[in-house]
């Protein structure tokens, strides 16, 4: 799946802000790259306090991005190219300018008062509990002078939390999902969906953890019943409609529970690996932990290196392009569904954003810099000065330049995606880590022969080696042998593996002729 942050992908109308028309103009790029699905970050009507995650109408497109006809064209054109369309859905909160909240704050007896979470002040007049909101040390509560109560917002004060304990809220939010599923979307990424169920007593967080935002601390049984109902809604539609959860908990064992017994979410983001250092021991531990938690419940993993909320992985890994390329091999050969963030196929780094240009309340501007499409001063946009500054080196690190260079990171991603699509082993095969020298990770991906029907599966095997160090490393070819199908050093491809990895090199090997598989 390929994530697009619409503001930064491509601008079709010359206002310096990316839009749905820009997405439509560049669907061919995604088809050429070889991804299976496009995930669109929010494009709903919004005052943009949190750049679209503060929704004032869940069933319309903000004019900044276009209109519903533009969205419908994206669905039609994407499907014609074999691309699925996933949209963001923000179930935990709305904008404070949503008509629901405008009504709710009109008085204690308002029709939709209980659609949000209101509480009387604590005995000292302060907030009802010690919860902290995201990106701040401030309380997750704002006092409403007119009614004398506080309302809950785990994010900005402009993002009041919906009360999912109210059946009317559940029904209304289900209706917003049906609106988009009826328009043909293939799935939904559910923003911080683990927050929707809350302890009705709203107790204080553990004082030792209360320095954190409440967001990664909210792990409640109430959420699971709500997710089972959502799964029933998804399963009522024809075709494969995926329910994908952003579960922002930092314990993989907790994340695993949101799959339920195959009756909750189909996929869940598992973020601890994204926060791992570029270190072989750390990454091996993350891989082992992920499979140890998910394999017993037959849950399918997800893997992500970059997104709109965190520094790009090249930036986190010290700005070294060779590391970013090796990370691409890791991401696209692990067992599970990989997620790409627009621009990582160009090995982009975060932009440097001067304080007077910063706009995001969460400090995430750098990773959201616009995508450069060519080497012109405007880089394929209609202005040299779009809504955020360009990432580093846009004159050379752009789509057109990398398309023309067969050694580029773009073509590495393209080769990896093509091999993944062609290889049953890389799609669904088991993963077996094996011992390699310090600083290296090695694993086999393999699937055995089975089936005698019209589509029997032929045994297949691939071996993956990633050198996390800046030095050349030798390996025992008894465990790692075969032809180099893909390498971050393209000159090594198509040759027998010689038992040595260059600095920061990652390779995918086919099984040698004397071993099972191909």
């Amino acid at each position: 799946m390929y994530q697009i942050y619409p503001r930064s992908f491509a601008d079709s109308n010359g206002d310096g802000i990316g839009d749905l028309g820009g997405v439509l103009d560049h669907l061919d790029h995604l088809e050429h790259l070889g991804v299976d699905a496009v995930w669109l970050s929010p494009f709903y009507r919004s005052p943009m306090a949190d750049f679209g995650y503060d929704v004032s109408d869940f069933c319309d497109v903000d004019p900044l991005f276009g209109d519903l006809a533009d969205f419908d064209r994206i669905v039609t054109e994407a499907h014609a190219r074999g691309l699925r369309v996933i949209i963001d859905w923000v179930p935990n909160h709305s904008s404070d300018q949503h008509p629901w909240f405008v009504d709710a704050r009109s008085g204690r007896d308002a029709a939709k008062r209980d659609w949000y979470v209101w509480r009387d002040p604590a005995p000292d007049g302060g907030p009802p509990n010690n919860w902290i909101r995201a990106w701040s040390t401030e309380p997750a509560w704002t006092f409403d002078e007119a009614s004398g109560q506080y309302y809950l917002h785990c994010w900005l004060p402009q993002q009041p939390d919906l009360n999912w304990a109210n059946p009317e809220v559940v029904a209304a939010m289900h209706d917003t999902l049906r609106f988009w599923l009826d328009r043909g979307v293939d799935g939904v990424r559910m923003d911080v969906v683990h927050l929707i169920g809350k302890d009705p007593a709203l107790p204080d967080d553990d004082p030792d953890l209360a320095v954190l935002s409440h967001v990664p601390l909210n792990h409640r049984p109430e959420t699971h019943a709500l997710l089972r109902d959502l799964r029933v809604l998804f399963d009522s539609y024809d075709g494969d409609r995926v329910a994908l959860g952003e579960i922002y908990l930092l314990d993989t064992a907790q994340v695993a529970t949101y799959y339920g017994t195959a009756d909750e979410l189909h996929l869940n983001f598992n973020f601890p690996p994204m926060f791992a250092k570029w270190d072989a021991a750390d990454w091996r531990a993350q891989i082992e932990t992920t499979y140890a938690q998910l394999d017993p419940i037959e849950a399918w993993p997800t893997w992500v290196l970059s997104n709109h909320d965190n520094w790009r992985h090249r930036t986190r890994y010290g700005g070294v392009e060779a590391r970013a390329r090796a990370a691409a091999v890791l991401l696209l050969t692990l067992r599970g569904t990989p997620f790409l963030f627009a621009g990582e196929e160009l090995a982009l780094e975060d932009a440097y954003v001067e304080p007077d240009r910063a706009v995001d309340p969460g400090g995430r501007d750098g990773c959201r810099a616009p995508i450069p499409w060519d080497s012109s001063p405007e880089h394929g946009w209609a202005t040299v000065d779009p809504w955020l500054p360009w990432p580093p080196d846009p004159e050379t690190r752009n789509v057109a330049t990398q398309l023309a260079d067969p050694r580029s990171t773009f073509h590495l991603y393209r080769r990896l995606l093509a091999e993944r699509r062609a290889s049953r082993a890389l799609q669904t095969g088991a993963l077996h880590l094996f011992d390699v020298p310090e600083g290296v990770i090695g694993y086999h991906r393999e699937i055995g022969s089975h089936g005698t029907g019209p589509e029997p599966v032929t045994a297949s095997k691939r071996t993956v080696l990633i050198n996390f160090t800046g030095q050349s490393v030798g390996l025992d070819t008894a465990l790692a042998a075969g032809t180099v199908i893909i390498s971050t050093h393209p000159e090594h491809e198509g040759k027998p593996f010689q038992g040595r990895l260059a600095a920061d090199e990652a390779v995918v090997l086919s099984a040698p002729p004397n071993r099972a598989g191909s």
Side-chain angles (χ1 to χ4, degrees), residues 200-212:
L202 298 177
D204 280 350
D205 283 330
D206 182 332
D208 292 336
L209 299 175
V211 294
L212 299 174

Side-chain angles (χ1 to χ4, degrees), residues 184-207:
V185 303
D186 301 288
V188 173
R189 179 264 193 186
M190 303 180 181
D191 183 65
V192 290
V193 72
H194 68 289
L195 274 176
I196 63 175
K198 297 182 177 71
D199 186 331
L202 298 177
D204 280 350
D205 283 330
D206 182 332

Side-chain angles (χ1 to χ4, degrees), residues 474-506:
L475 295 97
D476 182 355
T477 55
L479 284 174
T483 300
V484 179
I485 302 174
I486 295 174
S487 171
T488 52
H489 291 244
E491 67 273 13
H492 295 166
E493 293 179 358
K495 301 174 183 177
F497 181 59
Q498 298 298 313
R500 181 161 290 277
L501 291 171
D504 298 308
E505 184 179 14

Side-chain angles (χ1 to χ4, degrees), residues 300-415:
W300 191 245
T302 64
W303 300 96
V304 58
L305 295 176
S306 298
N307 63 23
H308 65 298
D309 284 332
N310 296 277
W311 292 358
R312 288 184 175 275
H313 66 270
R314 181 178 171 187
T315 299
R316 296 199 315 275
Y317 298 158
V320 180
E321 183 171 5
R323 291 179 186 172
R325 289 166 65 89
V329 176
L330 174 70
L331 176 69
L332 292 171
T333 59
L334 289 169
R335 185 174 63 84
T337 297
F339 287 78
L340 312 182
F341 180 42
E344 73 177 75
E345 74 273 26
L346 308 177
L348 293 186
E349 296 179 82
D350 283 13
Y352 174 70
V353 181
E354 296 280 357
D356 63 348
R357 290 288 304 272
V359 292
D360 178 59
R364 300 161 295 180
D365 291 321
C367 64
R368 299 176 176 186
I371 303 298
W373 290 95
D374 61 35
S375 57
S376 70
E378 299 81 16
H379 303 304
W381 292 55
T383 174
V384 296
D385 190 27
W387 78 288
L388 282 174
W390 300 107
D393 306 316
E395 300 82 7
T396 56
R397 197 160 302 288
N398 60 72
V399 174
T401 299
Q402 295 213 20
L403 275 172
D405 178 5
R407 296 176 55 88
S408 69
T409 298
F410 173 85
H411 283 290
L412 173 65
Y413 272 82
R414 191 163 180 261
R415 294 195 305 276

Side-chain angles (χ1 to χ4, degrees), residues 278-301:
W278 185 246
D279 176 86
D282 279 5
W283 263 98
R284 180 167 183 139
Q286 293 291 347
I287 293 167
E288 291 174 333
T289 298
T290 297
Y291 294 137
Q293 296 294 340
L294 298 188
D295 285 354
I297 60 173
E298 298 184 353
W300 191 245

Side-chain angles (χ1 to χ4, degrees), residues 57-80:
D57 188 340
F58 289 98
C59 298
D60 201 3
V61 173
D62 194 284
L64 187 72
F65 300 120
D67 55 29
L68 281 169
D70 293 323
F71 177 81
D72 290 340
R73 282 193 289 273
I74 287 175
V75 173
T76 298
E77 292 295 330
H79 286 172

